[in-house]
Amino acid sequence: MSAPATPPSSNPDLDAMLARVLGKDTADAAAPTGDPAVDEPPAAEPVDPAEQRCGYVAIVGKPNVGKSTLLNALVGQKVSITSRKAQTTRHRITGMRTVGPTQFVFVDTPGFQTRHGNALNRALNKTVLGAVNDVDLILFVVEAGHFNLADAKVLSLLPANVPVMLVANKFDLVHRRGDLAPWLRSMQERHPFAEFVPMSAKAPKDIQRLFSICEKYLPQQPWMHDPDDLTDRSERFMASEMVREKLFRLTGDELPYTSTVIIDKFEEEGTLKRIAATIVVEREGHKGMVIGEKGEKLKRIGTEARQELEKLWDCKVFLELWVKVRSGWADDDARVRSFGYE
């Protein structure tokens, strides 16, 4: 855990903030349950439009710091896929949550890419930059006690005219919490953060606390969405994302991140949804990894994706998967756009 070579000069406001965020309430935060719906904020009740607040909150950070896990916990339902593989999130995912008089419109972004300057990564970085310049508040997510060059690159891109909150995620993994104070001081030297929020995205108490902290930064204005809405993404999009999540989780580090999923057919027959999708890989050898021996890997990807979609939509799903090779697609701007990347 790094700290500045010399202690920053005394700052009463910073001292007060540190005392607040590292006080008893934070230390006693609820243990992770793994279920974002547990102890969730109460459902929205009718609110006078004159008292309503509504605004956009961008969730940004380097790959694999827990941005999508945080979004899902804030929304109370899975709207953004997660895996240990870096660069899982590729699109600007919007999730909504209405709590009391305030409607939060959260924007999950891809992790900013500093390596591999191909067409896919250029599209992902463009998505990040577009998101952070058009919001009311930015949640800059880092692992509590850690900060490296990749974090610094993302931080350098944040606009000066939007308040930024430092979300020190995975706080539950910090063994000596007293060590976090010098690290937070060093972070404030890097950027004038509006708030520090040490937390765990898997702790319901921490999620509720984050809602209350964010609320005051959103403007007073009528809600933009129905209070029951959770995302602006289509079911077709969610189907492709769910397949891609299972693809990455079940192939581990063997399969390059450039693999993607295209929905070829999405039909509804009463309570049944029929979906046909193609997994696109860059090499013939990758195709074998996805299919597996006697097709067992592909079958498992399809089964797990189907089960999760049935749970998400509460209906029966028929899912058919194919695998095709499209060599060099991630370096081809036109093909990247054709596959749905902005």
Side-chain angles (χ1 to χ4, degrees), residues 83-145:
S83 85
R84 288 175 295 179
K85 185 183 286 288
Q87 220 207 36
T88 301
T89 298
R90 291 192 184 161
H91 301 268
R92 173 172 167 157
I93 311 294
T94 303
M96 287 82 80
R97 189 66 174 273
T98 303
V99 183
T102 304
Q103 185 170 87
F104 303 84
V105 184
F106 295 103
V107 181
D108 185 21
T109 61
F112 195 86
Q113 303 301 312
T114 57
R115 301 170 62 190
H116 310 301
N118 58 22
L120 175 59
N121 280 348
R122 288 195 296 273
L124 300 184
N125 288 348
K126 184 179 179 182
T127 298
V128 177
L129 294 174
V132 299
N133 283 289
D134 192 27
V135 295
D136 301 290
L137 175 66
I138 296 171
L139 303 184
F140 175 56
V141 185
V142 296
E143 289 190 32

Side-chain angles (χ1 to χ4, degrees), residues 83-85 243-257 259 279 281 286-292 297-298 300-301:
S83 85
R84 288 175 295 179
K85 185 183 286 288
V243 173
R244 196 162 60 85
E245 178 185 74
K246 304 311 175 188
L247 170 69
F248 285 157
R249 286 192 173 186
L250 294 173
T251 56
D253 294 329
E254 298 176 85
L255 192 68
Y257 75 90
S259 305
I279 296 172
V281 297
H286 300 158
K287 183 176 181 179
M289 293 178 193
V290 175
I291 294 175
K297 182 67 68 65
L298 184 62
R300 187 176 171 192
I301 292 169

Side-chain angles (χ1 to χ4, degrees), residues 243-290:
V243 173
R244 196 162 60 85
E245 178 185 74
K246 304 311 175 188
L247 170 69
F248 285 157
R249 286 192 173 186
L250 294 173
T251 56
D253 294 329
E254 298 176 85
L255 192 68
Y257 75 90
T258 47
S259 305
T260 195
V261 177
I262 308 299
I263 300 298
D264 303 308
K265 181 179 73 174
F266 191 106
E267 299 175 348
E268 297 188 52
E269 301 174 4
T271 59
L272 171 68
K273 298 183 192 294
R274 292 186 180 274
I275 304 168
T278 298
I279 296 172
V280 178
V281 297
E282 288 204 295
R283 297 181 183 175
E284 196 66 37
H286 300 158
K287 183 176 181 179
M289 293 178 193
V290 175

Side-chain angles (χ1 to χ4, degrees), residues 34-269:
D35 183 356
V38 175
D39 296 332
E40 63 182 15
E45 297 180 358
V47 175
D48 184 339
E51 299 177 0
Q52 291 178 354
R53 287 180 179 269
C54 183
Y56 286 95
V57 182
I59 304 173
V60 303
K62 70 182 180 184
N64 262 18
V65 291
K67 299 184 300 297
S68 295
T69 299
L70 177 59
L71 174 66
N72 292 337
L74 287 165
V75 173
Q77 178 177 296
K78 187 171 193 172
V79 295
S80 187
I81 66 172
T82 61
S83 85
R84 288 175 295 179
K85 185 183 286 288
Q87 220 207 36
T88 301
T89 298
R90 291 192 184 161
H91 301 268
R92 173 172 167 157
I93 311 294
T94 303
M96 287 82 80
R97 189 66 174 273
T98 303
V99 183
T102 304
Q103 185 170 87
F104 303 84
V105 184
F106 295 103
V107 181
D108 185 21
T109 61
F112 195 86
Q113 303 301 312
T114 57
R115 301 170 62 190
H116 310 301
N118 58 22
L120 175 59
N121 280 348
R122 288 195 296 273
L124 300 184
N125 288 348
K126 184 179 179 182
T127 298
V128 177
L129 294 174
V132 299
N133 283 289
D134 192 27
V135 295
D136 301 290
L137 175 66
I138 296 171
L139 303 184
F140 175 56
V141 185
V142 296
E143 289 190 32
H146 298 273
F147 188 86
N148 61 20
L149 288 175
D151 296 302
K153 176 65 176 177
V154 179
L155 186 59
S156 71
L157 298 170
L158 303 185
N161 61 334
V162 178
V164 180
M165 211 175 276
L166 177 67
V167 176
N169 194 27
K170 305 181 184 179
F171 180 62
D172 53 311
L173 302 181
V174 176
H175 300 297
R176 297 176 57 187
R177 293 180 177 180
D179 291 346
L180 206 62
W183 176 78
L184 288 171
R185 289 182 182 277
S186 74
M187 293 301 296
Q188 193 69 1
E189 291 288 295
R190 299 178 187 277
H191 188 92
F193 292 104
E195 305 270 359
F196 296 146
V197 189
M199 64 173 293
S200 167
K202 295 181 179 179
K205 183 177 179 180
D206 287 355
I207 293 299
Q208 292 185 45
R209 183 164 53 89
L210 185 58
F211 277 119
S212 64
I213 296 171
C214 292
E215 182 177 35
K216 62 186 177 184
Y217 291 92
L218 303 189
Q220 281 195 299
Q221 61 180 355
W223 297 338
M224 303 175 192
H225 303 276
D226 186 282
D228 294 326
D229 287 349
L230 296 178
T231 183
D232 64 347
R233 286 296 188 173
S234 68
E235 291 184 339
R236 187 185 186 98
F237 173 83
M238 293 303 298
S240 69
E241 288 289 273
M242 210 62 73
V243 173
R244 196 162 60 85
E245 178 185 74
K246 304 311 175 188
L247 170 69
F248 285 157
R249 286 192 173 186
L250 294 173
T251 56
D253 294 329
E254 298 176 85
L255 192 68
Y257 75 90
T258 47
S259 305
T260 195
V261 177
I262 308 299
I263 300 298
D264 303 308
K265 181 179 73 174
F266 191 106
E267 299 175 348
E268 297 188 52
E269 301 174 4

